[in-house]
């Protein structure tokens, strides 16, 4: 059974983890730092980020970490964060697109995007695009994007209504955002392969993990009784954050992992982190292509690996 003790020595590597101030992101950042990587804690809440840094250093005194403010709900913040990272680090070896929201009431980002789609996908799309030069300068960078089993609820982005105008429901929005994460991870790997670069894109999902994600959903009241149900279920039978972070850690660090693969708990919601089969719908390529068009149109950011690699 794979555990973080199997992570190879990451000395000299630079990792960026979004949402690193709590939950799965904090565990991921700590384990990467414990293995010797310099870890950028990219987070919106600076007080929580400072507490996370203190916690990492308390557990691993030799840890090399820094905080970079990042609000995925603001394209300006994403660009500023990427500029800060690019200026300080010529190469980025690992990018974990971990941060996200779940089943929140309908809201808009600073740029007018539906909040869950804007934060969970569009913000990460723009961040990855801005960090491409640094990722491509690494020997063999890995980008890990975190999805969810909610993608099975359907919800591929509709180019004519990506922000669910008049159709918003908390779980529908979450399903769309997590489907977008899934398609983004696969589409990015396609671009890496076409460009002939060594960077790889992988996908991970944490199963049912007992983190603040469920509690925040309940606090904000967007998911009704189902949010409370999943909060209780996670508390009673969900994995710990340390267990839930293992799929994304394995995807980011296992020398045997390959681009385009999905890592998840063996039994869907629980179990050790293993490689799981990809379920490909007949129209998946169309959905990936549409997602790219929508993402570039909405953000105004072009994510073209071949151009960045020249």
């Amino acid at each position: 059974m794979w555990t973080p003790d199997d992570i190879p020595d990451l000395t000299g590597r630079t990792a960026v983890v979004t949402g690193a101030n709590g939950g799965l992101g904090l565990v991921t950042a700590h384990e990467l730092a414990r293995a010797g990587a310099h870890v950028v804690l990219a987070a919106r809440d600076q007080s929580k980020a400072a507490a996370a840094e203190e916690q990492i250093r308390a557990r691993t005194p030799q840890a090399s970490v820094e905080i970079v403010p990042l609000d995925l709900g603001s394209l300006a913040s994403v660009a500023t964060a990427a500029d800060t990272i690019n200026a300080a680090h010529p190469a980025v070896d690992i990018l974990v697109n971990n941060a996200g929201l779940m089943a929140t009431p309908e809201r808009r980002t600073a740029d007018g995007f539906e909040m869950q789609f804007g934060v969970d996908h569009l913000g990460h799309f723009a961040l990855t695009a801005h960090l491409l030069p640094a990722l491509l300068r690494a020997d063999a960078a890995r980008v890990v994007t975190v999805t969810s089993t909610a993608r099975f609820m359907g919800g591929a982005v509709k180019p004519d209504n990506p922000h669910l105008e008049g159709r918003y429901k908390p779980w529908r929005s979450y399903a769309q955002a997590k489907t977008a994460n899934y398609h983004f991870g696969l589409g990015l790997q396609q671009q890496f392969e076409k460009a002939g670069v060594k960077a790889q894109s992988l996908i991970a999902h944490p199963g049912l993990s007992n983190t603040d994600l469920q509690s925040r959903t309940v606090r904000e009241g967007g998911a009704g009784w189902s949010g409370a149900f999943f909060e209780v279920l996670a508390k009673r039978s969900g994995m710990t954050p340390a267990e839930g972070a293992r799929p994304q850690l394995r995807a980011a660090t296992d020398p045997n992992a390959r681009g385009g693969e999905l890592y998840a708990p063996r039994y869907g919601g629980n179990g050790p982190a293993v490689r799981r089969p990809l379920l490909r719908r007949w129209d998946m390529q169309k959905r990936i292509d549409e997602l790219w068009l929508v993402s570039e149109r909405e953000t105004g950011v072009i994510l073209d690996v071949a151009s960045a690699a020249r």
Side-chain angles (χ1 to χ4, degrees):
M1 183 175 67
W2 190 94
T3 75
D5 289 336
D6 295 308
I7 297 176
D9 182 18
L10 299 179
T11 301
R13 308 287 182 88
T14 296
V16 177
V17 181
T18 69
N21 56 357
L24 304 180
L26 174 55
V27 173
T28 299
H30 174 245
E31 294 295 352
L32 294 175
R34 189 167 71 93
H38 174 79
V39 182
V40 177
L41 311 178
R44 182 182 59 85
D45 189 321
Q46 293 303 284
S47 61
K48 288 181 66 177
E53 180 182 18
E54 183 178 344
Q55 185 174 334
I56 291 172
R57 293 188 186 279
R59 292 178 177 178
T60 305
Q62 74 275 17
S64 177
V65 294
E66 67 175 296
I67 297 171
V68 171
L70 170 67
D71 180 356
L72 288 163
S74 163
L75 292 176
S77 174
V78 171
T80 298
D83 287 345
T84 300
I85 294 168
N86 284 326
H89 306 286
V92 171
D93 300 273
I94 297 170
L95 169 61
V96 183
N97 290 324
N98 161 81
L101 303 171
M102 184 176 74
T104 58
E106 186 172 13
R107 296 200 303 271
R108 298 285 157 170
T109 69
D111 304 287
F113 306 143
E114 186 278 308
M115 183 66 74
Q116 293 188 75
F117 184 58
V119 169
D120 292 18
H121 169 65
L122 291 175
H124 282 125
F125 179 92
L127 178 67
T128 304
H130 289 313
L131 292 179
L132 264 184
L135 289 164
L136 296 179
R137 281 193 290 268
D139 290 339
R142 287 196 187 179
V143 179
V144 179
T145 301
V146 179
T147 183
S148 163
T149 53
R151 70 187 186 278
F152 295 126
M153 297 164 59
V157 63
K158 302 294 192 294
D160 61 343
N161 190 13
H163 304 298
L164 300 175
E165 299 280 357
R167 298 187 68 247
Y168 184 87
K169 290 184 178 180
W171 288 116
R172 176 182 290 163
S173 167
Y174 184 61
Q176 174 178 270
K178 292 293 105 178
T179 302
N181 292 150
Y182 184 74
H183 288 158
F184 172 66
L186 296 178
L188 184 61
Q189 177 60 24
Q190 290 178 352
Q191 288 223 11
F192 285 153
E193 291 175 357
K194 288 178 182 177
V197 299
K198 292 183 179 180
Q200 299 180 89
S201 171
L202 299 92
I203 315 165
H205 87 70
L208 182 62
S209 299
N210 184 21
T211 69
D212 188 56
L213 187 65
Q214 289 83 10
S215 298
R216 180 174 180 179
T217 297
V218 172
R219 289 197 302 271
E220 298 193 356
W225 68 266
S226 60
F229 170 78
F230 283 114
E231 181 185 30
V232 172
L233 186 65
K235 289 181 183 291
R236 292 184 176 180
S237 62
M239 296 188 294
T240 65
E243 293 168 331
R246 289 182 180 183
Q248 60 204 60
L249 280 165
R250 185 169 188 180
T253 64
D254 188 338
N256 295 316
R258 296 291 178 266
E261 293 180 345
L262 165 68
Y263 284 82
R266 181 184 296 278
Y267 307 113
N270 278 273
V274 298
R275 180 169 59 86
R276 299 290 293 162
L278 291 171
L279 303 179
R280 299 177 182 273
R281 287 171 49 102
W282 64 272
D283 62 347
M284 190 167 71
Q285 189 59 53
K286 176 185 177 184
R287 299 304 186 191
I288 291 173
D289 294 341
E290 288 178 343
L291 178 69
W292 234 260
L293 290 173
V294 168
S295 302
E296 292 184 339
R297 180 189 74 202
E298 297 300 302
T299 65
V301 177
I302 303 301
L303 202 166
D304 187 328
V305 175
S307 297
R310 294 193 188 108

